Amino acid sequence: MKTKKILCTLMAVMCMGTAALTGCGSDSNSSTANSANSATAAQTNESVDVTAVADKLKDGIEFKDELAELDEAKIEKIIGISADSYTKAKVYVSSSGGTAEEIDCFEAKDADSAKAIADTLTARVESQKKVFENYVPEEMTKLNDPVLVTNGNYVYLCLSNDNDKAKEIIG
């Protein structure tokens, strides 16, 4: 019961923080910083199944927490990305709310939507930093060095303890 209360409180804080930060916009420099770190994140016309990439990240990286998949409505409510901005998506978040671990994989409808999704994910990371800095300070390592990659219309965010593996899987 106590875990449910903590999870509900954390989810409410995340929603409010995401909504506040999404409305304010963000600096695009932070959303592109990690994509520059990935040598294989060059622009490509190759079609990618983002749901398969999300599953590979979930299965290929050791996470401390169990990850729960969000449906379309929860992606909009919790992450702040509406379904009309992407053609395909798969998102996993910490099921307990006790870690910042997360996987977000989107195929945006177009380049403008991809930029907006990347900006929203950057704002989400910033919001999560405010939540976790006093709640679970150990999670700041993930949040201070997220793997955020934009490759054409594809946008990926992975918050884990294994950035090298995440970059390898995202490609």
Side-chain angles (χ1 to χ4, degrees):
M1 189 66 166
K2 187 176 181 182
T3 302
K4 286 183 181 179
K5 285 182 182 179
I6 291 171
L7 180 59
C8 288
T9 302
L10 180 61
M11 295 299 263
V13 170
M14 291 185 328
C15 288
M16 291 186 316
T18 300
L21 289 172
T22 302
C24 297
S26 66
D27 183 1
S28 63
N29 289 339
S30 58
S31 68
T32 58
N34 283 321
S35 63
N37 292 337
S38 178
T40 57
Q43 295 292 327
T44 180
N45 292 329
E46 185 178 319
S47 181
V48 176
D49 181 358
V50 293
T51 61
V53 173
D55 290 338
K56 285 179 186 175
L57 287 165
K58 183 177 181 273
D59 296 337
I61 296 173
E62 186 175 326
F63 291 94
K64 293 191 313 188
D65 200 0
E66 187 71 30
L67 297 181
E69 184 178 347
L70 300 183
D71 63 23
E72 193 174 276
K74 287 184 180 168
I75 290 172
E76 183 165 6
K77 184 176 182 178
I78 294 170
I79 308 300
I81 299 172
S82 67
D84 63 356
S85 64
Y86 60 86
T87 56
K88 222 179 212 186
K90 195 162 214 181
V91 174
Y92 291 105
V93 297
S94 165
S95 62
S96 72
T99 70
E101 294 172 329
E102 185 169 319
I103 298 168
D104 302 82
C105 298
F106 290 91
E107 180 180 348
K109 289 193 174 181
D110 54 39
D112 289 339
S113 295
K115 183 183 179 336
I117 289 169
D119 289 347
T120 300
L121 292 176
T122 298
R124 175 158 171 78
V125 170
E126 293 304 312
S127 174
Q128 292 288 74
K129 284 180 182 179
K130 291 179 177 125
V131 170
F132 280 97
E133 68 185 345
N134 293 318
Y135 177 60
V136 185
E138 302 81 38
E139 293 299 296
M140 294 304 291
T141 304
K142 295 177 187 100
L143 293 164
N144 285 328
D145 188 24
V147 174
L148 179 58
V149 177
T150 302
N151 185 2
N153 289 349
Y154 301 100
V155 183
Y156 308 95
L157 171 66
C158 185
L159 299 171
S160 74
N161 286 324
D162 195 347
N163 286 353
D164 290 338
K165 184 70 172 176
K167 290 174 187 176
E168 176 187 319
I169 291 169
I170 292 168

